Amino acid sequence: MLFSFFLYLTAPLAASASLIGRQVDYGSLHCPEDPSATLVTPTYGTKGAIFTICSELIINAEPLAGYNAILDFKSYPQWNSFIINVALPDNVTSTPEDIYVGMAMTFTSNGLIGGLNTTSTEAISLFDPSGASGYLINAWHYDDGVGGIGSRAEHPNVFVDLGNGSTRYLSYETYYAGLSTGTIALLKDKLQKEWDIQAQDLKAYVESKR
């Protein structure tokens, strides 16, 4: 999730914006131990990657429950203390059922700059709840409005079935070189803190639905 300060789905089983999404085993990825390391994303790959924020934990529920919850943007005010609201297009009346690749969203986030809320425009890059590759994945990317000149970032969510009714959840965002990326990097520690809180929020929400 970036900011502008300075599918149970009825859609197709799999949708992707790029071939990179089909060339990587995302189910084998883990949060890097080296804080300078970065993770590949479906749209942008590894070229120009500057830094990654990442959270990884176990959700005591089936993968599809977590997958659907993170795409249920209308529910975010109920459980997400970081992304406190998501504005959706008028043609999207139900989530996750109505989402589609390229769908634009405006995220309102809390906690990055004092008591101020910040906003960012995001777009769905990829969703695949089929589990055909041994994991479920969805992703969205930041739209800076100038074709990525200012900054690029993408946020994949990966849900790996552990086979015992629980799921390994990997949530990360990789930021790429751009005119404003250096400024964003100054907030890396705050972003990581909120990222971890968001993952814990999702875990608590999904497990409460069991």
Side-chain angles (χ1 to χ4, degrees):
M1 201 289 305
L2 271 169
F3 56 94
S4 56
F5 188 80
F6 278 123
L7 248 117
Y8 177 114
L9 292 172
T10 56
L13 284 180
S16 174
S18 78
L19 290 176
I20 296 171
R22 293 289 170 258
Q23 296 171 342
V24 176
D25 178 9
Y26 289 92
S28 69
L29 299 182
H30 293 270
C31 288
E33 294 183 5
D34 180 352
S36 67
T38 59
L39 292 178
V40 63
T41 68
T43 300
Y44 302 123
T46 58
K47 185 177 180 180
I50 301 300
F51 70 93
T52 294
I53 55 173
C54 186
S55 296
E56 185 173 359
L57 49 71
I58 303 300
I59 298 176
N60 294 309
E62 297 290 343
L64 193 58
Y67 176 95
N68 282 339
I70 200 68
L71 290 179
D72 185 6
F73 300 110
K74 286 182 173 289
S75 75
Y76 275 32
Q78 301 175 32
W79 63 268
N80 197 325
S81 58
F82 178 37
I83 308 300
I84 57 177
N85 188 67
V86 182
L88 300 168
D90 291 340
N91 63 337
V92 176
T93 59
S94 179
T95 54
E97 292 83 0
D98 292 346
I99 70 164
Y100 52 91
V101 168
M103 185 185 83
M105 312 169 282
T106 300
F107 284 9
T108 299
S109 61
N110 174 62
L112 290 179
I113 304 177
L116 298 177
N117 291 340
T118 55
T119 61
S120 66
T121 300
E122 312 283 335
I124 296 291
S125 309
L126 160 76
F127 57 93
D128 183 359
S130 69
S133 299
Y135 57 88
L136 284 60
I137 183 171
N138 55 63
W140 51 84
H141 61 273
Y142 173 59
D143 181 0
D144 67 356
V146 289
I149 295 173
S151 183
R152 293 175 297 139
E154 189 162 38
H155 173 190
N157 295 283
V158 183
F159 300 84
V160 180
D161 191 346
L162 297 180
N164 58 359
S166 62
T167 300
R168 182 174 67 84
Y169 173 49
L170 178 71
S171 173
Y172 67 93
E173 186 159 72
T174 297
Y175 297 77
Y176 296 82
L179 296 178
S180 63
T181 307
T183 301
I184 296 165
L186 297 175
L187 293 173
K188 180 180 178 181
D189 290 344
K190 287 187 177 181
L191 282 164
Q192 182 63 61
K193 177 183 177 182
E194 295 300 327
W195 212 256
D196 290 339
I197 291 171
Q198 181 176 232
Q200 290 289 344
D201 285 348
L202 178 68
K203 171 182 169 69
Y205 177 70
V206 171
E207 291 180 355
S208 73
K209 299 292 186 179
R210 295 187 69 185

